[in-house]
Every structure is written in structure tokens, then in C-alpha cells.
Amino acid sequence: MAEVELPKPEELEELKGKAFTRRVALSTAIFAVILAIASLGGNNAMKHMLLAQQQASDQWAFYQAKSIREHQYRAQKLRLEAELADPAPAKKSLSRQKLEELRTTFGEEEKRYNAEKKDIEKEAKRLEQVRDLNHSKDPYFDYAEVLLQIAIVLASISILSGVRSVFLFAVVLACLGVLLTLDGYTLAVHIPLLGGSH
């Protein structure tokens, strides 16, 4: 009968330690990938928020310019209406027909600027909604990044110290980071403490 050699207890501990180290190293790599995804989401949310804010501001400036032009045409139209109401000054300057044509033109321009202004207002409000949506997403990504970074540090500490409970705590933090990252992309769950609003 062949003799079976049993591994020594020290060898078993070393193998168990290597398996733990490999598991933690693989988990840390996964945490780092998720951290990169959270960071990308946060950067994109911030970029889209700032861009939408700038575009909304541009639209509101354009809206004000249209509003000023609308008021100028309204003032001109009202001045001509007043001039047409008093026949004496109208005879001196332009013919009554010419004044009425100008009044009609100014009235049409006033209406055109009013209509254009409404379209600009809709676009500005849409851009503000985009800004607000991305503003809501940003805190989720920020906290996810923090939790994932802490998880990576704790996982590294668990390799050095060999303490498994530290690694378990790192996994819990990483799971929270994953959930916050997912929520940053989807805004499925509103967390009031994060300051975002849906």
C-alpha cells in the first residue's frame, strides 16, 4: 500500500493565505474598475450640468434681446397709432397710407418677436431641466467614488494584515459604492441626504 503524505499545517496556512490574497487582489481590481465608471459618470454629469447652464444662460440672453426688440416695435407701433389718431401731424410728415403700412409692419414684427421669444423660452427651460437632472446625479457619483476609494484602501490593508474582517468591511463599502454609481446613472432611488432632487 502506498504511503500518503499529508501537507503540513504551515503549508496549508500559506496556501489559504495565498488564496485570500488572490481573492482580495481580484476584488480590488474590480473595485478600481467600478471606481473608474463612477468617476466617468461624475465627470460627465458635471460637464453636462455646466454646459446646459451655459446654454440656458445664452438662451435667456437671446430671450432678453428678442424681448427688447419686441418692445421697440410695440413702442413704434403705438407712436404711429397716436400719430394716426391726430390727423394734423400726419399731413406734415408722411402720408396716412404710409403710416398705416409702417404700423402694420411694426405690429407684425412685434408678433414675430413674441413668437420667437416663446420658442427660446421653451428651449431655455429644457436646458435648465437638463442642468438640474445632472446636478441631481453628481452627488451620487461623488459619494460612490469616496466609498470605492476607501474600499480599495481597506482591501489593501487586509492583504497586508491578513485580517479578513477588514476585507469584509471593504466589500460592504464597495457594494454601497456600486449602488450609488448605479443610482447616479438611473436616479432610481432618491436619497435626500445627498442633496439631489428628482
Side-chain angles (χ1 to χ4, degrees):
M1 188 165 178
E3 232 179 90
V4 177
E5 189 177 330
L6 295 172
K8 296 176 185 170
E10 304 87 41
E11 291 173 348
L12 286 175
E13 275 302 311
E14 189 178 322
L15 286 174
K16 195 162 69 171
K18 284 182 182 178
F20 174 72
T21 301
R22 279 196 299 268
R23 224 175 311 142
V24 174
L26 178 61
S27 298
T28 304
I30 293 169
F31 298 166
V33 169
I34 298 166
L35 174 60
I37 292 168
S39 180
L40 177 68
N43 289 339
N44 283 339
M46 183 60 68
K47 179 177 67 175
H48 292 309
M49 180 181 71
L50 294 174
L51 180 61
Q53 175 59 45
Q54 180 182 5
Q55 290 173 330
S57 294
D58 290 347
Q59 288 297 313
W60 285 120
F62 195 34
Y63 176 89
Q64 287 178 326
K66 293 284 185 181
S67 187
I68 289 168
R69 295 291 290 171
E70 175 192 5
H71 290 297
Q72 287 174 337
Y73 280 112
R74 182 179 301 131
Q76 290 289 354
K77 182 182 81 169
L78 291 172
R79 188 182 66 75
L80 287 174
E81 286 174 352
E83 211 173 301
L84 285 168
D86 184 13
K91 290 178 186 172
K92 291 181 194 172
S93 59
L94 297 169
S95 71
R96 184 168 186 81
Q97 180 184 359
K98 185 67 176 168
L99 289 175
E100 287 177 359
E101 286 173 8
L102 281 173
R103 179 186 64 181
T104 302
T105 301
F106 290 152
E108 289 169 359
E109 286 298 302
E110 176 192 359
K111 288 177 188 171
R112 181 175 70 87
Y113 276 102
N114 190 326
E116 289 175 359
K117 194 173 71 168
K118 288 178 183 173
D119 292 339
I120 293 168
E121 181 181 15
K122 281 182 198 172
E123 179 63 11
K125 287 182 177 181
R126 185 192 69 77
L127 288 165
E128 287 176 339
Q129 288 175 340
V130 170
R131 176 204 61 203
D132 294 344
L133 174 69
N134 284 289
H135 183 265
S136 295
K137 289 180 173 188
D138 190 55
Y140 293 92
F141 291 119
D142 290 343
Y143 285 103
E145 286 182 61
V146 168
L147 291 173
L148 288 162
Q149 288 172 352
I150 293 170
I152 289 170
V153 170
L154 289 176
S156 300
I157 290 171
S158 73
I159 290 174
L160 296 173
S161 67
V163 178
R164 296 180 192 294
S165 59
V166 173
F167 176 63
L168 290 176
F169 188 58
V171 170
V172 169
L173 291 179
C175 288
L176 289 173
V178 167
L179 292 174
L180 286 174
T181 299
L182 290 172
D183 207 31
Y185 281 106
T186 64
L187 291 178
V189 178
H190 172 64
I191 302 173
L193 296 175
L194 295 184
S197 59
H198 301 316

